[in-house]
Structures are given as structure tokens and as C-alpha cells.
Amino acid sequence: MRVLITGGAGFIGSHLAEALLARGDEVMVLDDLSTGSVENFRHLKANPKFSYWIESVMNRALLAELVDESDFIMHLAAAVGVRLIVESPVRTIETNVKGTELVLQAAQKKKKPVFIASTSEVYGKSTAIPFQEDADLVLGPTIRGRWSYAASKALDEFLALAYWREKKLPVIVARFFNTVGPRQTGRYGMVLPNFVRQGMKGDPITVYGNGKQSRCFCYVGDVVAALIKLVEKPEAIGQVFNIGSTEEISIGDLALLVKQRLKSNSQISHIPYDQAYEEGFEDMMRRIPSIEKISKCIGWKPVTPLDATIDSIINFFKGKDQMAIPDQYRLPARGVVPISAEVIS
């Protein structure tokens, strides 16, 4: 099976490429390196089943060619990271909305199935915990650039599901909840790698706000296992799934846990949101997924505990071996089963 991964030089995309190649699939990566890095897949370049193009999904001709050559499209290319979103809202909106539109258009011409990566950000300021896929979305005002990312990804979902309902293009949507692990950069505001880097240097570990806001962090290997199972499941077509851990931790406690795992002498400091991002910045106090739907569909749940995930990031920054995908979710070395138009006709 030949799989096209847009954003394949990114954090999640590179782990997905690695897992698919390990199963014997062919992988094509398309990435403009705006937030990804060649270093993320350098170790894959010698594999004859791996190929890559340093270009944007906005290149219609190239995108059409790669879609034509692929059996399945995994669309992960997006503007990511709170800092990038706040500082470059135009880029965020254009990259997410236009990029997804072009991918869906190209896939529709050849009836190629598509996976669309979305985010827990679409739930916005909802307090209906845990978040369920059919729950209402509660976004902030348009005068706050903070919400442009959530709005753009929600529009991606609407568009993808419209292609399914109206044009019968096989699509699957998944909302990621704070995926973490080796290769993730703190460059655009990702909290855990930033904490680890600061703690390793002995610098203050900076917590934005009061630190009482909580999140659920899911190891990237568990997430990749879920993705591979989802795209093999015809029943997943036309559906939206949460993918994340249900192990909740406050950001303040996360800073303490990182400090403990590192045995670091770093102090923990608090920085107001207005100083870290922009005046009037809004954040969600809790973000917890319901994973009942995906568990019923593919029998998935995350298995990697947070302390082990933190250790994998520490080892990565130290240049040591990375954790592998958990063995119980390691799939047979065979191609992804294609979800074709015939399945849904």
C-alpha cells in the first residue's frame, strides 16, 4: 500500500511514516518544512519504500500527481502551536483551510480515501467534560486571534464531512488531544518539550497562568497505533473521533513531574498569559476527551503512562534511544487495507 502523508516531516507525521514503513507500506511525504524538519525523517531516507518532496500542499500540480500515485492520503499538514497561531493568524487560516480544500479536491478526482487531522481546540471554551464528538463547540470572539486555529480546523471538519455526504469521498476525521513524545519541538509553544528543555538546562520552568489549567497528554506511539487501526476500519468512514489520553494533570503538576523525572534543580516560575502571548489571551481550564467512540470502533485506548512518556522525551533530548510503539499495538507487517469507493457504495 502506498500512503501519502502531508506534513510528514512534522512530529506526528514522521512517527506515522516510520510505523507504516515498519509494516512494509510505501510512504510518500509532502512537507514545506514550515514547522517540520528533515531531521525528523532523516533515518528513513535510506529505505527504498520512502520518498519525500519539500513543497507545499498549495502546489496543486505536485499534489495532484502524488494523490494519483497514492492509495490513501493522511492529511496532517497544518499550522500548529499556540505561539504560531497567535503571531501568524493569516498563515494559520490560509494554511489550514486552503490546504485541506486542495487535498480534498485532489482526492475527490481519483476517489482516494483521506484522513483529516483535527484538534481538541475545536471544543473551544466548552465546559461539558469529557468532550464528546457530537457535543457543541464553544468558541471565543473573532477579535481574539487565539480562536482562529479552532475555527479553521472546525471548517476543515465541516468540509471533509461535506465531501463524504455529498460526493461520497471516503473521509475519516480525528481530533488530537495534546500528543507528545520524541521529536516534538517547543518552538511554537508546546508545553512538555519546553519544560524538559528548561529543566535539563537548570533554567526556570515557565508555567503560563496560574498552572491550574489541566490537560491529558498522549504518547505519540499510542496515537499512531490508533491512526493505523482507524484507516483500516470501513466503519470509521464519515466519522469524527477523539484520540487522546484520559489521564488528567494540571500544568503546574506537570512542571513538578518533569522536574522530578529529571532530578532538576530548576525553579518553577509563573508568567501571565498577557505577557506570554497577547493581551486578553483566553485559555481552557480543562480539556479531557471521551474515548468511548474510538474504543468501540477499533478497541483502542492509550497504554503509555505519562512518566514513561516524559522519560522518552528526556532520552530523545539526551540523544538516547526512543521508546517504541507499545507492543500490544504493533500491527502485522502488511499493507493498510484500502478503503475504496466500493466499500461505501
Side-chain angles (χ1 to χ4, degrees):
M1 183 62 53
R2 181 175 287 180
V3 182
L4 170 62
I5 306 176
T6 70
F11 161 55
I12 298 176
S14 65
H15 281 279
L16 177 61
E18 188 175 62
L20 290 171
L21 288 168
R23 285 157 39 89
D25 297 310
E26 292 184 57
V27 172
M28 301 184 296
V29 161
L30 177 63
D31 200 303
D32 65 0
L33 303 185
S34 57
T35 55
S37 171
V38 172
E39 292 303 316
N40 287 339
F41 62 67
R42 187 175 297 279
H43 62 296
L44 304 177
K45 289 169 69 173
N47 191 319
K49 291 188 175 183
F50 178 78
S51 53
Y52 68 96
W53 287 260
I54 307 302
E55 184 55 270
S56 169
V57 293
M58 303 295 185
N59 185 328
R60 293 174 185 245
L62 177 59
L63 178 63
E65 179 182 344
L66 296 180
V67 166
D68 189 44
E69 293 179 2
S70 67
D71 299 306
F72 203 107
I73 300 99
M74 304 291 287
H75 180 46
L76 278 69
V80 295
V82 176
R83 184 167 301 283
L84 178 61
I85 291 157
V86 169
E87 294 177 354
S88 304
V90 171
R91 175 181 170 187
T92 296
I93 296 168
E94 290 182 345
T95 298
N96 293 348
V97 177
K98 190 64 177 178
T100 297
E101 179 185 8
L102 292 176
V103 168
L104 291 169
Q105 286 176 350
Q108 170 61 21
K109 290 179 181 179
K110 300 294 183 177
K111 288 293 182 186
K112 299 294 178 70
V114 183
F115 166 83
I116 300 291
S118 189
T119 170
S120 61
E121 287 277 333
V122 299
Y123 291 105
K125 297 190 286 186
S126 174
T127 57
I129 301 294
F131 294 149
Q132 296 183 319
E133 291 88 345
D134 59 355
D136 289 343
L137 310 182
V138 185
L139 301 185
T142 56
I143 60 173
R144 303 293 184 205
R146 165 76 171 82
W147 301 108
S148 61
Y149 178 60
S152 67
K153 295 306 288 183
L155 185 55
D156 284 353
E157 292 189 24
F158 278 121
L159 188 59
L161 295 173
Y163 265 83
W164 157 240
R165 295 190 184 103
E166 181 180 336
K167 302 177 182 294
K168 295 304 176 186
L169 176 69
V171 300
I172 300 170
V173 177
R175 296 169 179 167
F176 296 145
F177 280 72
N178 293 91
T179 304
V180 292
R183 298 184 205 144
Q184 187 177 42
T185 175
R187 188 168 138 204
Y188 300 108
M190 284 70 171
V191 62
L192 191 48
N194 275 333
F195 281 1
V196 171
R197 284 186 184 277
Q198 291 167 344
M200 288 179 66
K201 293 179 180 178
D203 295 338
I205 297 176
T206 54
V207 175
Y208 297 152
N210 59 19
K212 294 181 179 179
Q213 66 274 32
S214 64
R215 299 291 184 266
C216 299
F217 296 90
C218 192
Y219 175 60
V220 64
D222 290 341
V223 171
V224 165
L227 295 183
I228 291 176
K229 284 194 169 187
L230 270 181
V231 300
E232 291 186 316
K233 197 77 169 179
E235 292 83 358
I237 295 172
Q239 300 293 320
V240 178
F241 297 91
N242 291 332
I243 300 182
S245 169
T246 57
E247 183 183 355
E248 185 180 14
I249 186 171
S250 73
I251 300 303
D253 286 345
L254 178 67
L256 289 171
L257 181 57
V258 168
K259 181 176 176 178
Q260 173 191 336
R261 302 305 296 182
L262 283 167
K263 298 180 174 59
S264 172
N265 294 320
S266 293
Q267 299 298 310
I268 296 175
S269 65
H270 291 261
I271 298 177
Y273 280 123
D274 288 358
Q275 181 180 335
Y277 295 118
E278 62 180 354
E279 185 177 353
F281 180 87
E282 297 177 297
D283 201 9
M284 294 73 74
M285 286 306 297
R286 300 178 73 198
R287 194 186 297 172
I288 306 167
S290 166
I291 59 172
E292 182 178 355
K293 184 176 180 180
I294 193 171
S295 295
K296 286 183 178 179
C297 183
I298 60 172
W300 177 88
K301 64 178 181 179
V303 297
T304 310
L306 182 56
D307 55 357
T309 298
I310 293 172
D311 289 347
S312 76
I313 297 171
I314 293 171
N315 288 337
F316 173 73
F317 285 146
K318 290 181 176 179
K320 297 181 180 179
D321 290 339
Q322 302 170 22
M323 291 173 60
I325 295 174
D327 287 340
Q328 54 266 60
Y329 288 111
R330 188 179 294 281
L331 300 176
R334 57 182 177 81
V336 174
V337 176
I339 299 176
S340 65
E342 285 71 25
V343 172
I344 50 90
S345 59

